[in-house]
Amino acid sequence: MIDFRKNFWLFPILIAVIALISLLTPAAYRTFDGGGIYFWLWALNISTDTGYLWFNTDALALFGAIAETLVIVISMLVLIYTGIIIKRDKKNQKIIKLFLFISGILLILAPLGYIIGSVFYQTDFWTTYSPSFGIIGPFIAAAIAFITIFLYKKKT
């Protein structure tokens, strides 16, 4: 049987990995005959029918891309640090819970910024394009972070 306490440090690392995967996968897409178009949180865009790859250089898109990516990267760093703290058996529960909570909030704010910003950029964005793991992944990671707070309370 797996000792839950010994491996608990893996939860923040797992959350950071989910956040990383969400940065590497498209946030929104649309497929059509002959190809599709994919958008990442960090302003990368790909049209698969033409093979055209570009970064959105609009001021709003660039600001959003930098801010959202930075927020997720900061959250990932905090999560990795939290995993290290737990692994080293530091028992400061308040700090660990605070780091998990802050990371969860940051992981919610980044995709929310993209969701709202994309509507300012193109009014019918979410009726034209579908969400992908790049936009859903941070919400999943945040949910796991909040669940981890309660699990940490019960298991330590």
Side-chain angles (χ1 to χ4, degrees):
M1 185 168 168
I2 297 173
D3 185 5
F4 189 73
R5 288 182 186 180
K6 280 186 179 178
N7 296 316
F8 195 80
W9 65 276
L10 289 171
F11 280 90
I13 305 299
L14 171 69
I15 298 165
V17 168
I18 293 170
L20 176 63
I21 292 169
S22 71
L23 278 178
L24 299 175
T25 56
Y29 71 96
R30 179 177 180 207
T31 57
F32 44 84
D33 291 339
I37 189 164
Y38 297 87
F39 302 97
W40 275 257
L41 283 173
W42 38 282
L44 175 69
N45 305 307
I46 295 177
S47 177
T48 58
D49 59 332
T50 62
Y52 185 58
L53 173 85
W54 75 99
F55 282 95
N56 190 340
T57 56
D58 180 71
L60 175 64
L62 280 178
F63 174 76
I66 292 168
E68 292 151 2
T69 303
L70 189 61
V71 165
I72 290 178
V73 168
I74 289 170
S75 177
M76 289 169 40
L77 293 173
V78 169
L79 286 162
I80 291 168
Y81 180 70
T82 304
I84 291 169
I85 291 173
I86 295 170
K87 177 73 172 164
R88 290 186 178 167
D89 206 25
K90 308 252 175 159
K91 295 286 185 180
N92 193 343
Q93 288 187 13
K94 288 183 181 181
I95 295 293
I96 291 169
K97 290 178 187 179
L98 179 65
F99 286 168
L100 288 168
F101 181 76
I102 289 170
S103 295
I105 294 297
L106 292 175
L107 287 168
I108 289 172
L109 290 177
L112 276 180
Y114 186 88
I115 291 167
I116 294 167
S118 60
V119 172
F120 281 112
Y121 188 73
Q122 181 180 337
T123 310
D124 63 342
F125 187 87
W126 293 109
T127 56
T128 305
Y129 301 99
S130 300
S132 187
F133 190 78
I135 203 82
I136 299 167
F139 289 114
I140 294 169
I144 296 171
F146 294 133
I147 291 168
T148 303
I149 292 169
F150 294 107
L151 291 176
Y152 188 69
K153 180 180 179 180
K154 290 185 178 201
K155 294 296 179 183
T156 56

Coordinates of all heavy atoms in Angstrom, one line a residue, residues 28-119:
A28 N -7.8 27.3 -27.5 CA -9.0 27.4 -28.3 C -8.7 26.9 -29.7 O -7.6 26.9 -30.1 CB -9.6 28.8 -28.3
Y29 N -9.7 26.3 -30.3 CA -9.5 25.8 -31.7 C -10.8 25.8 -32.5 O -11.9 26.0 -31.9 CB -9.0 24.4 -31.6 CG -10.0 23.4 -31.2 CD1 -10.8 22.7 -32.1 CD2 -10.3 23.2 -29.8 CE1 -11.7 21.7 -31.7 CE2 -11.2 22.3 -29.4 CZ -12.0 21.6 -30.4 OH -12.9 20.7 -29.9
R30 N -10.7 25.7 -33.8 CA -11.8 25.5 -34.7 C -11.3 24.7 -35.8 O -10.3 24.9 -36.4 CB -12.3 26.9 -35.2 CG -13.4 26.7 -36.1 CD -13.9 28.1 -36.6 NE -15.1 27.9 -37.5 CZ -15.4 28.7 -38.4 NH1 -14.7 29.8 -38.6 NH2 -16.4 28.5 -39.2
T31 N -12.1 23.6 -36.1 CA -11.7 22.7 -37.2 C -12.8 23.0 -38.3 O -13.9 23.3 -38.0 CB -11.7 21.3 -36.8 OG1 -13.0 20.9 -36.2 CG2 -10.6 21.0 -35.8
F32 N -12.3 22.8 -39.5 CA -13.1 22.9 -40.7 C -12.6 22.0 -41.8 O -11.5 21.4 -41.6 CB -13.2 24.4 -41.1 CG -11.9 25.1 -41.2 CD1 -11.0 25.0 -42.2 CD2 -11.5 25.9 -40.1 CE1 -9.8 25.7 -42.2 CE2 -10.3 26.6 -40.1 CZ -9.5 26.5 -41.2
D33 N -13.3 21.9 -42.8 CA -12.8 21.0 -43.9 C -11.4 21.4 -44.4 O -11.2 22.6 -44.7 CB -13.8 21.1 -45.1 CG -15.1 20.4 -44.8 OD1 -15.2 19.6 -43.9 OD2 -16.1 20.8 -45.5
G34 N -10.5 20.5 -44.3 CA -9.2 20.8 -44.8 C -8.3 21.3 -43.7 O -7.1 21.6 -44.0
G35 N -8.7 21.5 -42.5 CA -7.7 21.9 -41.5 C -8.4 22.5 -40.3 O -9.5 22.2 -39.9
G36 N -7.7 23.4 -39.7 CA -8.2 24.1 -38.4 C -7.3 25.2 -38.0 O -6.3 25.4 -38.6
I37 N -7.7 25.9 -37.0 CA -7.0 27.0 -36.5 C -6.9 26.8 -34.9 O -7.9 26.4 -34.3 CB -7.5 28.3 -36.9 CG1 -6.6 29.5 -36.4 CG2 -8.9 28.6 -36.3 CD1 -6.9 30.8 -37.1
Y38 N -5.7 27.0 -34.4 CA -5.5 26.7 -33.0 C -4.8 27.9 -32.3 O -3.9 28.6 -32.9 CB -4.6 25.5 -32.8 CG -5.2 24.2 -33.3 CD1 -5.0 23.9 -34.6 CD2 -5.9 23.4 -32.5 CE1 -5.6 22.7 -35.1 CE2 -6.5 22.3 -32.9 CZ -6.4 21.9 -34.3 OH -7.0 20.8 -34.7
F39 N -5.3 28.3 -31.1 CA -4.7 29.4 -30.4 C -4.2 29.0 -29.0 O -4.8 28.2 -28.3 CB -5.9 30.4 -30.1 CG -6.5 31.0 -31.3 CD1 -7.7 30.4 -31.8 CD2 -6.0 32.0 -32.0 CE1 -8.3 30.9 -32.9 CE2 -6.6 32.5 -33.2 CZ -7.7 31.9 -33.6
W40 N -3.0 29.5 -28.6 CA -2.4 29.2 -27.3 C -2.6 30.4 -26.4 O -2.8 31.5 -26.9 CB -1.0 28.9 -27.5 CG -0.7 27.4 -27.8 CD1 -0.2 26.5 -27.0 CD2 -0.8 26.8 -29.1 NE1 -0.1 25.3 -27.6 CE2 -0.4 25.4 -28.9 CE3 -1.2 27.2 -30.3 CZ2 -0.5 24.5 -30.0 CZ3 -1.3 26.3 -31.4 CH2 -0.9 25.0 -31.2
L41 N -2.5 30.2 -25.1 CA -2.6 31.3 -24.2 C -1.5 32.3 -24.4 O -1.7 33.5 -24.1 CB -2.4 30.7 -22.7 CG -3.6 30.1 -22.1 CD1 -3.2 29.5 -20.7 CD2 -4.7 31.0 -21.9
W42 N -0.3 31.9 -24.9 CA 0.8 32.8 -25.1 C 0.9 33.4 -26.5 O 2.0 33.7 -26.9 CB 2.1 32.1 -24.7 CG 2.2 30.7 -25.0 CD1 1.6 29.6 -24.3 CD2 3.0 30.1 -26.1 NE1 2.0 28.4 -24.9 CE2 2.8 28.7 -26.0 CE3 3.8 30.6 -27.1 CZ2 3.4 27.8 -26.9 CZ3 4.4 29.7 -27.9 CH2 4.2 28.4 -27.8
A43 N -0.3 33.5 -27.1 CA -0.5 34.3 -28.4 C 0.1 33.5 -29.6 O 0.2 34.1 -30.7 CB 0.1 35.7 -28.3
L44 N 0.4 32.3 -29.5 CA 0.8 31.5 -30.7 C -0.4 31.0 -31.4 O -1.4 30.6 -30.7 CB 1.6 30.3 -30.3 CG 2.0 29.3 -31.4 CD1 3.0 29.9 -32.3 CD2 2.5 28.0 -30.8
N45 N -0.4 31.1 -32.7 CA -1.6 30.7 -33.5 C -1.1 29.8 -34.6 O 0.0 30.1 -35.2 CB -2.3 31.9 -34.1 CG -2.8 32.9 -33.0 OD1 -3.4 32.5 -32.0 ND2 -2.4 34.1 -33.1
I46 N -1.8 28.8 -35.0 CA -1.5 27.9 -36.1 C -2.7 27.7 -36.9 O -3.8 27.3 -36.4 CB -0.9 26.6 -35.6 CG1 0.4 26.8 -34.9 CG2 -0.7 25.6 -36.8 CD1 1.0 25.5 -34.3
S47 N -2.5 27.8 -38.2 CA -3.6 27.4 -39.2 C -3.1 26.1 -39.9 O -2.1 26.2 -40.6 CB -3.8 28.5 -40.2 OG -4.7 28.1 -41.2
T48 N -3.7 25.0 -39.6 CA -3.2 23.7 -40.1 C -3.4 23.5 -41.6 O -2.7 22.8 -42.2 CB -3.8 22.6 -39.3 OG1 -5.3 22.6 -39.5 CG2 -3.4 22.6 -37.9
D49 N -4.4 24.2 -42.2 CA -4.6 24.0 -43.6 C -3.6 24.7 -44.5 O -3.2 24.2 -45.5 CB -6.0 24.5 -44.0 CG -6.3 26.0 -43.7 OD1 -5.7 26.5 -42.8 OD2 -7.1 26.6 -44.4
T50 N -3.0 25.8 -44.0 CA -2.0 26.5 -44.7 C -0.6 26.3 -44.1 O 0.4 26.5 -44.8 CB -2.2 28.0 -44.7 OG1 -2.2 28.5 -43.4 CG2 -3.6 28.4 -45.4
G51 N -0.6 25.8 -42.9 CA 0.7 25.6 -42.2 C 1.3 26.9 -41.7 O 2.4 26.9 -41.2
Y52 N 0.5 27.9 -41.7 CA 0.9 29.2 -41.3 C 1.0 29.3 -39.7 O 0.0 28.9 -39.1 CB -0.1 30.3 -41.8 CG 0.3 31.7 -41.6 CD1 1.6 32.2 -42.0 CD2 -0.5 32.6 -40.9 CE1 1.9 33.5 -41.8 CE2 -0.2 33.9 -40.7 CZ 1.1 34.3 -41.1 OH 1.4 35.6 -40.9
L53 N 2.1 29.7 -39.2 CA 2.3 29.8 -37.8 C 2.6 31.3 -37.5 O 3.5 31.9 -38.1 CB 3.5 28.9 -37.4 CG 4.0 29.0 -36.0 CD1 3.2 28.1 -35.1 CD2 5.5 28.6 -36.0
W54 N 2.0 31.9 -36.5 CA 2.2 33.3 -36.2 C 1.9 33.6 -34.7 O 1.2 32.9 -34.1 CB 1.4 34.2 -37.1 CG 0.0 34.3 -36.8 CD1 -0.7 35.3 -36.1 CD2 -1.1 33.4 -37.2 NE1 -2.0 35.1 -36.0 CE2 -2.3 33.9 -36.7 CE3 -1.1 32.2 -37.9 CZ2 -3.5 33.3 -36.9 CZ3 -2.3 31.6 -38.1 CH2 -3.5 32.1 -37.6
F55 N 2.5 34.7 -34.2 CA 2.2 35.2 -32.9 C 1.3 36.4 -33.1 O 1.5 37.3 -34.0 CB 3.4 35.6 -32.2 CG 4.2 34.5 -31.6 CD1 5.2 33.9 -32.3 CD2 3.8 33.9 -30.4 CE1 5.9 32.8 -31.7 CE2 4.5 32.9 -29.8 CZ 5.5 32.3 -30.5
N56 N 0.2 36.5 -32.3 CA -0.7 37.6 -32.4 C 0.1 38.8 -31.8 O 0.4 38.8 -30.6 CB -2.0 37.3 -31.6 CG -3.0 38.4 -31.9 OD1 -2.7 39.5 -32.3 ND2 -4.3 38.0 -31.6
T57 N 0.3 39.9 -32.6 CA 1.1 41.0 -32.1 C 0.2 42.2 -31.7 O 0.7 43.3 -31.5 CB 2.1 41.5 -33.2 OG1 1.3 41.7 -34.4 CG2 3.1 40.4 -33.5
D58 N -1.1 42.0 -31.7 CA -2.0 43.0 -31.2 C -1.6 43.3 -29.8 O -1.3 42.5 -29.0 CB -3.5 42.6 -31.3 CG -4.4 43.6 -30.8 OD1 -4.6 44.6 -31.5 OD2 -5.0 43.4 -29.7
A59 N -1.7 44.6 -29.4 CA -1.3 45.0 -28.0 C -2.1 44.3 -27.0 O -1.5 43.8 -26.0 CB -1.5 46.6 -27.9
L60 N -3.4 44.2 -27.1 CA -4.2 43.5 -26.1 C -3.8 42.0 -26.0 O -3.6 41.5 -24.9 CB -5.7 43.6 -26.4 CG -6.7 42.8 -25.5 CD1 -6.6 43.3 -24.1 CD2 -8.1 42.8 -26.1
A61 N -3.6 41.4 -27.2 CA -3.2 40.0 -27.2 C -1.8 39.8 -26.6 O -1.6 38.8 -25.8 CB -3.2 39.4 -28.6
L62 N -0.9 40.6 -26.9 CA 0.5 40.5 -26.3 C 0.5 40.7 -24.8 O 1.1 40.0 -24.1 CB 1.4 41.4 -27.0 CG 2.0 41.0 -28.3 CD1 2.9 42.1 -28.9 CD2 2.7 39.7 -28.2
F63 N -0.2 41.7 -24.4 CA -0.3 42.0 -22.9 C -0.9 40.8 -22.2 O -0.4 40.3 -21.2 CB -1.1 43.3 -22.6 CG -1.3 43.5 -21.2 CD1 -0.3 44.0 -20.4 CD2 -2.6 43.2 -20.6 CE1 -0.5 44.2 -19.0 CE2 -2.7 43.4 -19.2 CZ -1.7 43.9 -18.4
G64 N -2.1 40.3 -22.7 CA -2.7 39.2 -22.1 C -1.8 37.9 -22.2 O -1.8 37.2 -21.2
A65 N -1.2 37.7 -23.3 CA -0.3 36.5 -23.4 C 0.8 36.5 -22.4 O 1.1 35.5 -21.7 CB 0.2 36.4 -24.8
I66 N 1.4 37.7 -22.2 CA 2.5 37.8 -21.3 C 2.0 37.7 -19.8 O 2.6 36.9 -19.0 CB 3.3 39.1 -21.5 CG1 4.0 39.1 -22.8 CG2 4.3 39.4 -20.3 CD1 4.6 40.5 -23.2
A67 N 0.9 38.3 -19.5 CA 0.4 38.3 -18.2 C -0.1 36.9 -17.8 O 0.2 36.4 -16.7 CB -0.8 39.3 -18.1
E68 N -0.9 36.3 -18.7 CA -1.4 34.9 -18.4 C -0.3 33.9 -18.3 O -0.3 33.0 -17.4 CB -2.4 34.5 -19.5 CG -3.6 35.4 -19.5 CD -4.3 35.5 -20.9 OE1 -3.8 34.9 -21.8 OE2 -5.3 36.3 -20.9
T69 N 0.7 33.9 -19.2 CA 1.8 33.0 -19.1 C 2.6 33.2 -17.8 O 3.0 32.2 -17.2 CB 2.7 33.1 -20.4 OG1 1.9 32.9 -21.5 CG2 3.8 32.1 -20.3
L70 N 2.9 34.5 -17.5 CA 3.6 34.8 -16.3 C 2.9 34.3 -15.1 O 3.5 33.7 -14.2 CB 3.9 36.3 -16.3 CG 4.9 36.8 -15.2 CD1 6.2 36.2 -15.4 CD2 5.0 38.3 -15.2
V71 N 1.6 34.5 -15.0 CA 0.8 34.1 -13.8 C 0.9 32.5 -13.7 O 1.1 32.0 -12.6 CB -0.6 34.5 -14.0 CG1 -1.5 33.8 -13.0 CG2 -0.7 36.0 -13.8
I72 N 0.8 31.8 -14.8 CA 0.9 30.3 -14.7 C 2.3 29.9 -14.3 O 2.4 29.0 -13.5 CB 0.4 29.7 -16.0 CG1 -1.1 29.9 -16.1 CG2 0.7 28.2 -16.0 CD1 -1.8 29.4 -17.4
V73 N 3.3 30.5 -14.9 CA 4.7 30.1 -14.6 C 5.0 30.4 -13.1 O 5.6 29.6 -12.4 CB 5.7 30.8 -15.5 CG1 7.1 30.7 -15.0 CG2 5.5 30.3 -16.9
I74 N 4.5 31.6 -12.6 CA 4.7 31.9 -11.1 C 4.0 30.8 -10.3 O 4.5 30.3 -9.3 CB 4.2 33.3 -10.8 CG1 5.1 34.3 -11.4 CG2 4.1 33.5 -9.3 CD1 4.6 35.7 -11.4
S75 N 2.8 30.5 -10.7 CA 2.0 29.4 -10.0 C 2.8 28.1 -10.0 O 2.9 27.4 -8.9 CB 0.6 29.3 -10.6 OG 0.0 28.3 -9.9
M76 N 3.3 27.8 -11.1 CA 4.1 26.5 -11.2 C 5.3 26.5 -10.3 O 5.6 25.5 -9.6 CB 4.5 26.2 -12.7 CG 3.4 25.9 -13.6 SD 3.8 25.9 -15.3 CE 5.4 25.2 -15.4
L77 N 6.0 27.6 -10.3 CA 7.2 27.7 -9.4 C 6.8 27.6 -7.9 O 7.5 27.0 -7.1 CB 7.9 29.1 -9.7 CG 8.6 29.2 -11.0 CD1 9.1 30.6 -11.3 CD2 9.7 28.1 -11.2
V78 N 5.7 28.3 -7.6 CA 5.2 28.2 -6.2 C 4.9 26.8 -5.8 O 5.2 26.3 -4.7 CB 4.0 29.2 -5.9 CG1 3.4 28.9 -4.6 CG2 4.5 30.6 -6.0
L79 N 4.2 26.1 -6.8 CA 3.8 24.7 -6.5 C 5.1 23.8 -6.4 O 5.1 22.9 -5.5 CB 2.9 24.2 -7.7 CG 1.5 24.7 -7.6 CD1 0.8 24.6 -9.0 CD2 0.7 24.1 -6.5
I80 N 6.0 24.0 -7.2 CA 7.3 23.1 -7.1 C 8.0 23.4 -5.8 O 8.4 22.5 -5.1 CB 8.2 23.4 -8.3 CG1 7.6 22.9 -9.6 CG2 9.6 22.8 -8.1 CD1 8.2 23.3 -10.9
Y81 N 8.0 24.7 -5.4 CA 8.6 25.0 -4.1 C 7.8 24.4 -3.0 O 8.4 23.9 -2.0 CB 8.7 26.6 -3.9 CG 9.2 27.0 -2.6 CD1 10.6 26.8 -2.4 CD2 8.4 27.6 -1.7 CE1 11.1 27.2 -1.1 CE2 9.0 28.0 -0.5 CZ 10.3 27.8 -0.2 OH 10.8 28.2 1.0
T82 N 6.5 24.4 -3.1 CA 5.6 23.8 -2.0 C 5.9 22.3 -2.0 O 6.0 21.7 -0.9 CB 4.1 24.0 -2.4 OG1 3.9 25.4 -2.5 CG2 3.3 23.5 -1.3
G83 N 6.0 21.6 -3.1 CA 6.4 20.2 -3.1 C 7.7 19.9 -2.4 O 7.8 19.0 -1.6
I84 N 8.7 20.8 -2.6 CA 10.0 20.7 -2.0 C 9.9 20.8 -0.5 O 10.5 20.1 0.3 CB 11.0 21.7 -2.6 CG1 11.3 21.3 -4.1 CG2 12.3 21.7 -1.8 CD1 12.1 22.3 -4.8
I85 N 9.1 21.8 -0.1 CA 8.9 22.1 1.4 C 8.3 20.8 2.0 O 8.7 20.4 3.1 CB 8.0 23.3 1.6 CG1 8.7 24.6 1.3 CG2 7.6 23.4 3.1 CD1 7.8 25.8 1.3
I86 N 7.3 20.3 1.4 CA 6.6 19.1 1.9 C 7.5 17.9 2.0 O 7.6 17.2 2.9 CB 5.3 18.8 1.1 CG1 4.3 19.9 1.3 CG2 4.7 17.4 1.6 CD1 3.1 19.8 0.4
K87 N 8.3 17.7 0.9 CA 9.3 16.6 0.8 C 10.3 16.7 1.9 O 10.7 15.7 2.5 CB 9.9 16.6 -0.6 CG 11.0 15.6 -0.8 CD 10.4 14.2 -0.9 CE 11.5 13.2 -1.3 NZ 11.1 11.9 -1.2
R88 N 10.8 17.9 2.2 CA 11.8 18.1 3.3 C 11.2 18.0 4.6 O 11.9 18.2 5.6 CB 12.5 19.4 3.1 CG 13.3 19.5 1.9 CD 14.1 20.8 1.8 NE 15.0 20.8 0.7 CZ 15.6 21.8 0.2 NH1 15.4 23.0 0.9 NH2 16.4 21.8 -0.8
D89 N 9.9 17.7 4.7 CA 9.2 17.4 6.0 C 9.1 18.7 6.8 O 9.1 18.6 8.1 CB 9.8 16.3 6.7 CG 8.8 15.6 7.6 OD1 7.6 15.7 7.3 OD2 9.3 15.0 8.6
K90 N 9.0 19.8 6.2 CA 8.8 21.0 7.0 C 7.3 21.1 7.3 O 6.4 21.0 6.4 CB 9.1 22.3 6.2 CG 10.5 22.2 5.6 CD 11.4 23.1 6.3 CE 12.8 22.9 5.8 NZ 13.8 23.8 5.9
K91 N 6.9 21.2 8.5 CA 5.5 21.0 9.0 C 4.8 22.3 9.2 O 3.9 22.4 9.9 CB 5.5 20.3 10.3 CG 6.0 18.9 10.2 CD 5.0 18.0 9.5 CE 5.5 16.6 9.6 NZ 4.6 15.7 8.9
N92 N 5.2 23.4 8.5 CA 4.5 24.7 8.6 C 3.2 24.6 7.7 O 3.2 25.0 6.5 CB 5.4 25.8 8.2 CG 4.8 27.1 8.6 OD1 3.6 27.3 8.8 ND2 5.6 28.2 8.6
Q93 N 2.2 24.1 8.3 CA 0.9 23.8 7.5 C 0.3 25.1 7.0 O -0.2 25.1 5.9 CB -0.1 23.1 8.4 CG 0.2 21.7 8.7 CD -0.9 21.0 9.4 OE1 -2.0 21.6 9.5 NE2 -0.7 19.9 10.0
K94 N 0.4 26.2 7.7 CA -0.2 27.4 7.2 C 0.4 27.9 6.0 O -0.2 28.4 5.0 CB -0.2 28.5 8.3 CG -1.1 28.3 9.5 CD -1.1 29.4 10.5 CE -2.0 29.1 11.6 NZ -2.0 30.2 12.6
I95 N 1.8 27.9 5.9 CA 2.5 28.3 4.7 C 2.2 27.4 3.5 O 1.9 27.9 2.4 CB 4.0 28.4 5.0 CG1 4.3 29.4 6.0 CG2 4.8 28.6 3.7 CD1 4.1 30.9 5.6
I96 N 2.2 26.1 3.7 CA 1.9 25.2 2.7 C 0.5 25.4 2.1 O 0.3 25.5 0.9 CB 2.1 23.8 3.1 CG1 3.6 23.5 3.4 CG2 1.6 22.7 2.1 CD1 4.0 22.3 4.1
K97 N -0.5 25.5 3.0 CA -1.9 25.8 2.6 C -2.0 27.1 1.9 O -2.7 27.2 0.9 CB -2.8 25.7 3.8 CG -3.0 24.3 4.4 CD -3.9 24.4 5.6 CE -3.9 23.1 6.3 NZ -4.8 23.1 7.5
L98 N -1.3 28.1 2.4 CA -1.3 29.4 1.7 C -0.8 29.3 0.3 O -1.4 29.9 -0.6 CB -0.6 30.5 2.5 CG -0.5 31.9 2.0 CD1 -1.9 32.5 1.9 CD2 0.4 32.7 2.8
F99 N 0.4 28.7 0.1 CA 1.0 28.5 -1.2 C 0.0 27.8 -2.1 O -0.1 28.1 -3.3 CB 2.3 27.8 -1.1 CG 3.4 28.6 -0.6 CD1 4.6 28.1 -0.2 CD2 3.3 30.0 -0.4 CE1 5.7 28.8 0.3 CE2 4.3 30.8 0.1 CZ 5.5 30.2 0.4
L100 N -0.6 26.7 -1.6 CA -1.6 26.0 -2.5 C -2.7 26.8 -2.8 O -3.2 26.8 -4.0 CB -2.0 24.7 -1.7 CG -1.0 23.6 -1.6 CD1 -1.5 22.5 -0.6 CD2 -0.7 23.0 -3.0
F101 N -3.2 27.6 -1.9 CA -4.4 28.5 -2.2 C -4.0 29.6 -3.2 O -4.8 29.8 -4.1 CB -4.9 29.1 -0.9 CG -6.0 30.0 -1.0 CD1 -7.3 29.5 -1.2 CD2 -5.9 31.4 -1.1 CE1 -8.4 30.3 -1.4 CE2 -7.0 32.2 -1.2 CZ -8.3 31.7 -1.4
I102 N -2.9 30.2 -3.0 CA -2.4 31.3 -3.9 C -2.2 30.7 -5.3 O -2.7 31.3 -6.3 CB -1.1 31.9 -3.4 CG1 -1.4 32.8 -2.2 CG2 -0.5 32.7 -4.5 CD1 -0.2 33.3 -1.5
S103 N -1.6 29.5 -5.4 CA -1.5 28.8 -6.7 C -2.8 28.5 -7.4 O -3.0 28.7 -8.6 CB -0.7 27.5 -6.6 OG 0.6 27.8 -6.1
G104 N -3.7 28.1 -6.6 CA -5.1 27.8 -7.1 C -5.7 29.0 -7.7 O -6.3 29.0 -8.8
I105 N -5.7 30.1 -6.9 CA -6.2 31.4 -7.4 C -5.6 31.9 -8.7 O -6.2 32.3 -9.6 CB -6.1 32.5 -6.3 CG1 -7.0 32.1 -5.1 CG2 -6.5 33.8 -6.8 CD1 -8.5 32.0 -5.3
L106 N -4.2 31.8 -8.7 CA -3.5 32.2 -9.9 C -3.9 31.4 -11.1 O -4.0 31.9 -12.2 CB -2.0 32.2 -9.7 CG -1.4 33.2 -8.7 CD1 0.1 33.0 -8.5 CD2 -1.7 34.6 -9.2
L107 N -4.0 30.1 -10.9 CA -4.4 29.2 -12.0 C -5.8 29.4 -12.5 O -6.2 29.0 -13.6 CB -4.2 27.7 -11.5 CG -2.8 27.2 -11.4 CD1 -2.7 25.9 -10.7 CD2 -2.1 27.2 -12.8
I108 N -6.7 30.0 -11.7 CA -8.0 30.4 -12.1 C -8.0 31.7 -12.9 O -8.6 31.9 -13.9 CB -9.0 30.5 -10.9 CG1 -9.3 29.1 -10.4 CG2 -10.3 31.2 -11.3 CD1 -10.1 29.0 -9.1
L109 N -7.2 32.7 -12.4 CA -7.1 34.0 -13.0 C -6.6 34.0 -14.4 O -7.0 34.7 -15.3 CB -6.3 34.9 -12.1 CG -6.9 35.3 -10.8 CD1 -5.9 36.2 -10.0 CD2 -8.2 36.0 -11.0
A110 N -5.5 33.2 -14.7 CA -4.9 33.2 -16.0 C -5.9 32.8 -17.1 O -6.1 33.6 -18.1 CB -3.7 32.3 -16.0
P111 N -6.6 31.7 -17.0 CA -7.6 31.4 -18.1 C -8.8 32.3 -18.1 O -9.3 32.6 -19.2 CB -8.0 29.9 -17.9 CG -7.7 29.7 -16.4 CD -6.5 30.6 -16.1
L112 N -9.1 32.8 -17.0 CA -10.2 33.8 -17.0 C -9.8 35.1 -17.7 O -10.7 35.6 -18.5 CB -10.6 34.2 -15.5 CG -11.6 33.3 -14.8 CD1 -11.9 33.8 -13.4 CD2 -12.9 33.1 -15.6
G113 N -8.6 35.5 -17.6 CA -8.1 36.6 -18.3 C -8.2 36.4 -19.8 O -8.6 37.2 -20.6
Y114 N -7.8 35.1 -20.2 CA -7.9 34.8 -21.7 C -9.3 34.7 -22.2 O -9.6 35.2 -23.2 CB -7.2 33.4 -21.9 CG -7.1 33.0 -23.3 CD1 -6.0 33.4 -24.1 CD2 -8.1 32.3 -24.0 CE1 -5.9 33.1 -25.4 CE2 -8.0 32.0 -25.3 CZ -6.9 32.4 -26.0 OH -6.8 32.1 -27.4
I115 N -10.2 34.2 -21.4 CA -11.6 34.1 -21.7 C -12.2 35.5 -21.9 O -12.9 35.7 -22.9 CB -12.4 33.3 -20.7 CG1 -12.0 31.8 -20.7 CG2 -13.9 33.4 -20.9 CD1 -12.5 31.0 -19.5
I116 N -12.0 36.3 -21.0 CA -12.5 37.7 -21.1 C -11.8 38.5 -22.2 O -12.4 39.2 -23.0 CB -12.4 38.4 -19.7 CG1 -13.3 37.7 -18.7 CG2 -12.7 39.9 -19.8 CD1 -13.0 38.1 -17.2
G117 N -10.5 38.4 -22.2 CA -9.7 39.2 -23.2 C -10.1 38.8 -24.7 O -10.1 39.6 -25.6
S118 N -10.3 37.5 -24.9 CA -10.6 37.0 -26.2 C -12.0 37.6 -26.7 O -12.2 37.8 -27.9 CB -10.6 35.5 -26.3 OG -11.6 35.0 -25.4
V119 N -12.9 37.8 -25.8 CA -14.2 38.4 -26.1 C -14.0 39.9 -26.5 O -14.7 40.4 -27.4 CB -15.2 38.3 -25.0 CG1 -16.5 39.0 -25.3 CG2 -15.5 36.8 -24.8

